[in-house]
Amino acid sequence: MRDIRIGRLKGRFVVIWNDDSGKRRRHRLAAHTAKEAEAEARDIVLRMSAPVGGVSVAQIWAAYQAEMGGRRQAAKLAQTGRNILPVMGHLSAERLTIKDSRDYIAKRRAEGRKDATIRTELGCLRSAVLWAARSKLIGSAPQIELPPAPPPRDRYLTRREVGALIDAAVDPHIRLAMLLMLTTAGRIGAILELTWDRVDFDRRTIRLATNDIGPRKGRATVPINDTLMAALQDARAGALSEYVVEWGGRQVGSIKTGFNAAVARAGIDHCTAHDLRRTAGRFMAEAGVPIEQIAQYLGHSNPNVTRSTYAQFSPDYLRAAAGSLELGGVRLVQRTKERPPK
């Protein structure tokens, strides 16, 4: 995005910028507030500065990243953009074709990248062009083809592995993050964004959502059990910032390095931080917790999603179905055994 400035002219908002030739440009806006003016100004400059082929992927990408602000999606766009933009940034966003997607997939595969990584990169591109279409920056969003989705991971830790992993976490903030993920079933993003004002020690609850609206993926308000209560009280006593998981008085952006080191020290098979959330769901199902309650704990709006993943771990799973297939009980089995050989 080029540098732009919002100003006032005769009581109206205007946007001022320099075009590619260095000429100063100015355009009057319809906005009535500063926030509206910022959004409208960005869109105006994009349209008026677009090349003959239309707004480029790079321009859309930069505008979408700016729109995301401080959200985690902005950081994701910054990371994936390093791979997408050198290849597709110069192309017209509205004129992208299926061939462009397939060429990109082939190129990344040739570089040794897995389909899951390529799906993430092209998924960001799809989100960007869909946003551009909704924002009227382009007439319509082109179709972005993604490689096939990989089979879902089914890595769950046993209770022995969980104990070994926590014991292997030598850094206090890594250990606390693990305990939070296991006892709240929260996603890693929610855990790292958790602040002390959303930890209610009196009511023994944690509100994972940052506000009443919350992020796109559901974040629940969950109870604090005894295990977590002890860990949180210790952490609160030594807290240097507003963030529950902190290091040196600052918010922690990622625990990947420390987490992987703990996995290696524990001597267990490869797992990710998200596997702890899955493991928490399995532990609840194995304990006979109703699916509807597990769904609320995980922040799922549709219990059927929870059921499709975790019902198989319930002690009563398919029990009634097996009972319906009883074939005469013990006497039938005994008679079968007593039948003389031919």
Side-chain angles (χ1 to χ4, degrees), residues 130-303:
L130 286 172
W131 168 82
R134 290 194 301 270
S135 302
K136 303 292 192 278
L137 296 177
I138 57 178
S140 61
Q143 184 178 351
I144 306 297
E145 185 173 286
L146 276 59
R153 294 183 75 250
D154 56 356
R155 174 72 165 110
Y156 302 95
L157 279 70
T158 65
R159 291 189 179 271
R160 183 197 64 78
E161 288 177 322
V162 166
L165 183 60
I166 292 174
D167 289 342
V170 295
D171 295 319
H173 69 290
I174 300 295
R175 184 176 187 274
L176 180 59
M178 289 179 180
L179 287 172
L180 281 162
M181 284 184 283
L182 284 163
T183 57
T184 69
R187 295 179 177 86
I188 182 60
I191 299 305
L192 297 183
E193 292 172 1
L194 180 63
T195 48
W196 286 112
D197 61 312
R198 289 183 278 128
V199 178
D200 191 328
F201 285 100
D202 294 330
R203 294 184 174 85
R204 291 179 65 116
T205 60
I206 288 179
R207 179 166 56 87
L208 293 173
T210 56
N211 51 52
D212 293 336
I213 299 175
R216 184 174 180 181
K217 290 189 175 180
R219 295 184 180 182
T221 296
V222 298
I224 301 174
N225 65 17
D226 292 342
T227 300
L228 184 58
M229 176 63 79
L232 287 174
Q233 287 174 334
D234 287 345
R236 188 70 182 97
L240 299 175
S241 74
E242 63 177 322
Y243 292 98
V244 176
V245 179
E246 64 174 12
W247 178 251
R250 297 187 299 273
Q251 181 186 13
V252 176
S254 170
I255 65 166
K256 186 174 182 180
T257 300
F259 185 89
N260 290 341
V263 170
R265 282 192 295 269
I268 62 178
D269 292 339
H270 173 73
C271 69
T272 67
H274 191 72
D275 291 331
L276 300 189
R277 170 178 163 85
R278 265 195 288 265
T279 297
R282 175 171 180 166
F283 284 176
M284 286 187 279
E286 289 177 338
V289 177
I291 288 295
E292 289 71 19
Q293 291 186 30
I294 299 176
Q296 291 182 33
Y297 217 97
L298 294 170
H300 291 170
S301 58
N302 184 357

Side-chain angles (χ1 to χ4, degrees), residues 36-52:
E36 291 174 352
E38 289 178 5
E40 185 183 353
R42 177 201 61 216
D43 298 350
I44 289 290
V45 173
L46 273 176
R47 291 193 192 97
M48 297 185 72
S49 304
V52 176

